[in-house]
Amino acid sequence: MWTNPREEADERSPEARGPMMGQVAELWRYPVSSMAGEQLTVARVEAGGIAGDRIWGVLDEATGRIASPGREKHFIGVPRAHARIADGGVAVSVDGRSWAGPEDASMREALSTIFGFKPMLTPFDPVGSGGFRPRYEHAPIHLLTTAALRSLSRELPDSVIDTRRFRPNILVDWQDEDDAMPEKDWIGREIRIGDVVLRGTRPCGRCGFITIEQDRLPVDVEILRRVVQRHGRDFGIYCDVVIPGHVTTGATVVVA
């Protein structure tokens, strides 16, 4: 959907043209941090983000280090595995077809083969009682626009610019504007999606994760280089949840 530009942007300032509108193009959650996620048609948005999003993590069993594929080559194979919510719990897969629980011995062995290390999958500590803490607890929702993706695609015509590289929770179909990344102007604003209200809080800083091979996407170091040059490393924004509720694909997005 995001590959098809919408009507030309209104040249007036946001204050002059009033509320700005788009729609939800895609919804994603990533039950296991750093693994490929699952695309949804409806998502329950809670105070801490989309239900089931980034609730488990991957560690190297030998060292106890949490997987950080964008910063350590040791973990570069983790995004090749898949995770989803099934029957109320987390299920993982090496190929997106055969699934098992994260503690299944045969699945852990299969994951070891593609990861290059023996993984330990563990749930994050939701209450901060000294257990394993998520890296993204400061950022309940990650939002990105199709306008930003189209802009990057125009600048890198030989690259595969795909939503999955950037791992947003919500991809908003938005018309092109003068600014290549219009959502950066949504920081501090309320973003209403049906009965859900978000507030933009900060830009999403990028690392090498967006360049590595993942979920049938090739290695491409030029993508991070261009994001750094064009946007100072930021691409998309983080949002807090002001009013929880449900979001569906196709829902109208209104930015105050």
Side-chain angles (χ1 to χ4, degrees):
M1 187 173 189
W2 65 265
T3 56
N4 297 319
R6 301 174 67 187
E7 61 182 338
E8 293 183 2
D10 189 330
E11 294 182 356
R12 293 174 296 169
S13 69
E15 292 77 9
R17 63 178 182 257
M20 300 172 286
M21 299 178 65
Q23 65 180 27
V24 176
E26 297 175 12
L27 290 170
W28 292 84
R29 72 177 166 200
Y30 310 89
V32 179
S33 182
S34 297
M35 284 191 185
E38 57 180 337
Q39 192 169 0
L40 308 172
T41 57
V42 59
R44 186 171 82 251
V45 179
E46 302 172 338
I50 287 180
D53 187 54
R54 296 177 174 91
I55 57 176
W56 282 62
V58 179
L59 286 78
D60 183 334
E61 186 176 87
T63 65
R65 300 204 319 275
I66 183 172
S68 182
R71 294 180 173 85
E72 296 184 59
K73 289 184 178 180
H74 179 69
F75 296 112
I76 204 168
V78 175
R80 299 175 191 170
H82 303 255
R84 69 181 185 185
I85 300 294
D87 299 323
V90 171
V92 296
S93 172
V94 297
D95 57 11
R97 296 186 297 273
S98 299
W99 298 83
E103 297 177 351
D104 182 89
S106 59
M107 180 57 68
R108 288 185 64 196
E109 190 63 32
L111 291 174
S112 298
T113 300
I114 65 170
F115 289 176
F117 64 90
K118 189 172 183 179
M120 179 173 66
L121 279 67
T122 184
F124 287 123
D125 175 12
V127 295
S129 59
F132 186 44
R133 301 294 298 279
R135 294 201 305 269
Y136 303 107
E137 59 187 343
H138 65 284
I141 297 288
H142 172 207
L143 181 149
L144 185 64
T145 65
T146 59
L149 289 176
R150 284 194 299 269
S151 175
L152 190 58
S153 186
R154 287 191 293 267
E155 294 179 7
L156 295 172
D158 296 327
S159 295
V160 180
I161 305 301
D162 189 285
T163 309
R164 292 169 295 166
R165 287 196 186 276
F166 304 96
R167 300 169 68 84
N169 294 119
I170 303 175
L171 179 68
V172 176
D173 186 27
W174 198 261
Q175 67 184 22
D176 294 337
E177 297 186 3
D178 290 340
D179 197 308
M181 190 177 70
E183 59 266 39
K184 77 176 185 181
D185 290 329
W186 302 358
I187 293 173
R189 296 174 183 263
E190 287 196 348
I191 305 159
R192 183 174 292 275
I193 310 174
D195 59 349
V196 170
V197 178
L198 309 177
R199 179 178 290 109
T201 56
R202 69 182 76 181
C204 179
R206 298 298 177 171
C207 65
F209 200 112
I210 64 175
T211 73
I212 62 180
E213 179 183 352
Q214 52 181 298
D215 199 16
R216 304 180 303 280
L217 299 174
V219 174
D220 191 335
V221 297
E222 290 301 319
I223 295 176
L224 180 59
R225 184 175 292 120
R226 182 52 61 99
V227 167
V228 170
Q229 292 172 346
R230 186 74 166 83
H231 302 289
R233 195 176 287 274
D234 298 327
F235 200 67
I237 62 172
Y238 290 129
C239 302
D240 282 341
V241 178
V242 179
I243 300 177
H246 286 81
V247 171
T248 61
T249 54
T252 299
V253 178
V254 180
V255 181

